[in-house]
Amino acid sequence: MPKKRALITGITGQDGSYLAEFLLGKGYEVHGIVRRASTFNRGRIEHLFKDISRDEPNFQLHYGDLGDSNSLIRILTAAKPDEVYNLAAQSHVGVSFDMPEYTGDITALGTTRLLEALRTSGLPARFYQASSSELFGKAVTTPQNEKTPFYPRSPYGCAKAYAFYLTRNYRESYGMFAVNGILFNHESPRRSENFVTRKITLSIANILAGKQECMHLGNLEAKRDWGYAKEFVEGMWLMLQQSEPEDFVLATGRTATVREFLELALTAACIPFERSGTGENETYHDARTGKTIVAVDPRYYRPAEVDCLLGDASKAKQKLGWQPKTTLSELVALMVEADLKGAGVQVAR
């Protein structure tokens, strides 16, 4: 029986690297799209090349871009995938306020280019679109599920809403097996350093290593539903194994503030802490030294805040048999340990 083939956009990112590992473990032939750049950004997938057979390669990369339709058509023709996972995007909410046009071009119109390239190619591939809990934004109900109305509060959220509805439109208009996975926040040691969770764990490691004085954070009261990215990619795959295409929410069903994540990380790094001040003047101190290690900085506030996101993944549990296993404290400890190791720091426990 021939191997299944999968094509992943955004394969060098957190989700793309975990998904590639997962699919290779399932015996897939995995193809990934990477952008040509002056810097080499393949650290998350470098280890996957070690297992490539010269006679029967099962992992291949192709240069392309969601901003270039011709490259997408060329790659689809060459890879002939059975499944396409669109994970690429300008995915940082804060950056989307600074670069709204670019965010719309790649995150929204990039999905259009890929869907249209797949449609015109005639390939019967199943299509997964990475949607986001940022679709809900200023949520009208809590928790949020597949029936909750969208209220995006950022250019990123708006671009993801466009991509969501376009995916659904191609499914209904052309009979394509195209689904949206509405994933709530999912983190790991592979999370990009400009996301708040990884910023926290990496900053703690750098402070303990003497490479950084203090970390600066924005809204500590924002609440998110945080899960483990490695578990979420299995949910993506399960969506494409169903008999009929449907959209699904993946989430843990628990919420925590940025403050709670921060304090779990400080505790995991064995840093006793004290708080002082309020609002923009709030700081955290190392209780042993009195040194300020965390400070609130209004520069990191968003023009429009999303106060609370909490997902209801009941449908995924019922129809996919998917549910998260890793607790938030376990996830935070996992991330802190990885960053401490990367910084060469050992802590007494």
Side-chain angles (χ1 to χ4, degrees):
M1 185 176 178
K3 291 181 178 180
K4 272 192 173 183
R5 295 182 176 185
L7 175 65
I8 303 172
T9 72
I11 196 167
T12 59
Q14 169 188 252
D15 291 5
S17 63
Y18 280 125
L19 180 61
E21 284 179 352
F22 177 84
L23 294 176
L24 289 169
K26 290 283 185 183
Y28 277 64
E29 180 180 309
V30 175
H31 296 256
I33 298 180
V34 295
R35 291 180 296 168
R36 187 177 291 276
S38 58
T39 55
F40 202 72
N41 183 29
R42 300 183 190 175
R44 298 183 183 92
I45 59 172
E46 193 64 36
H47 63 288
L48 298 178
F49 289 99
K50 297 177 182 178
D51 300 325
I52 292 178
S53 166
R54 293 184 179 180
D55 299 324
E56 191 180 359
N58 59 357
F59 184 57
Q60 300 179 45
L61 299 181
H62 306 261
Y63 282 114
D65 196 296
L66 288 181
D68 178 24
S69 299
N70 287 331
S71 69
L72 300 177
I73 295 170
R74 170 178 53 80
I75 294 166
L76 285 169
T77 302
K80 295 182 174 57
D82 300 294
E83 298 171 4
V84 175
Y85 296 86
N86 185 30
L87 311 185
Q90 190 304 97
S91 59
H92 194 278
V93 176
V95 171
S96 76
F97 284 101
D98 297 324
M99 304 177 68
E101 183 178 344
Y102 176 75
T103 300
D105 183 40
I106 300 304
T107 306
L109 293 181
T111 305
T112 307
R113 296 182 187 105
L114 184 54
L115 278 167
E116 186 62 10
L118 182 58
R119 183 186 73 83
T120 57
S121 74
L123 293 168
R126 297 186 170 199
F127 180 86
Y128 171 87
Q129 169 60 24
S131 289
S132 166
S133 59
E134 289 290 330
L135 292 170
F136 300 118
K138 191 176 181 179
V140 296
T141 60
T142 299
Q144 297 89 46
N145 60 29
E146 294 82 2
K147 296 181 180 179
T148 304
F150 296 158
Y151 195 152
R153 295 269 282 175
S154 66
Y156 170 76
C158 292
K160 281 293 187 180
Y162 175 102
F164 175 94
Y165 285 119
L166 193 76
T167 299
R168 179 177 286 182
N169 183 260
Y170 269 64
R171 178 170 76 214
E172 296 174 351
S173 299
Y174 304 116
M176 295 174 64
F177 195 109
V179 305
N180 289 286
I182 308 175
L183 273 58
F184 279 65
N185 291 57
H186 45 289
E187 318 298 318
S188 77
R190 298 182 189 176
R191 188 57 136 158
S192 295
E193 297 172 11
N194 58 349
F195 285 82
V196 68
T197 52
R198 183 74 194 292
K199 178 180 178 179
I200 288 170
T201 61
L202 185 60
S203 293
I204 287 173
N206 286 335
I207 289 170
L208 290 175
K211 300 176 183 178
Q212 183 175 335
E213 290 294 318
C214 177
M215 79 173 89
H216 295 84
L217 301 173
N219 181 11
L220 296 180
E221 304 309 326
K223 295 180 179 180
R224 294 293 183 271
D225 184 324
W226 278 304
Y228 185 20
K230 190 174 184 178
E231 296 172 353
F232 278 52
V233 299
E234 181 179 8
M236 300 176 187
W237 175 76
L238 286 169
M239 291 179 207
L240 294 192
Q241 311 313 308
Q242 304 307 298
S243 58
E244 298 294 333
E246 295 184 68
D247 303 325
F248 289 89
V249 162
L250 297 186
T252 69
R254 59 179 182 254
T255 188
T257 62
V258 173
R259 180 188 304 283
E260 289 173 283
F261 191 101
L262 168 65
E263 294 183 357
L264 282 171
L266 291 170
T267 300
C270 299
I271 300 176
F273 58 86
E274 296 173 345
R275 290 165 47 186
S276 64
T278 59
E280 296 179 8
N281 297 314
E282 184 174 3
T283 57
Y284 277 72
H285 308 273
D286 186 325
R288 299 165 298 188
T289 64
K291 179 181 175 182
T292 299
I293 52 176
V294 182
V296 171
D297 190 332
R299 290 180 300 171
Y300 294 106
Y301 290 168
R302 296 178 185 175
E305 288 286 350
V306 173
D307 298 320
C308 179
L309 293 174
L310 175 63
D312 173 10
S314 299
K315 181 182 175 183
K317 181 178 180 180
Q318 177 187 357
K319 291 195 171 185
L320 304 180
W322 179 91
Q323 57 183 335
K325 303 177 182 67
T326 305
T327 67
L328 181 59
S329 59
E330 290 170 340
L331 174 60
V332 174
L334 188 73
M335 294 176 66
V336 168
E337 183 178 351
D339 280 327
L340 289 176
K341 182 178 180 181
V345 175
Q346 290 186 337
V347 295
R349 299 189 182 278

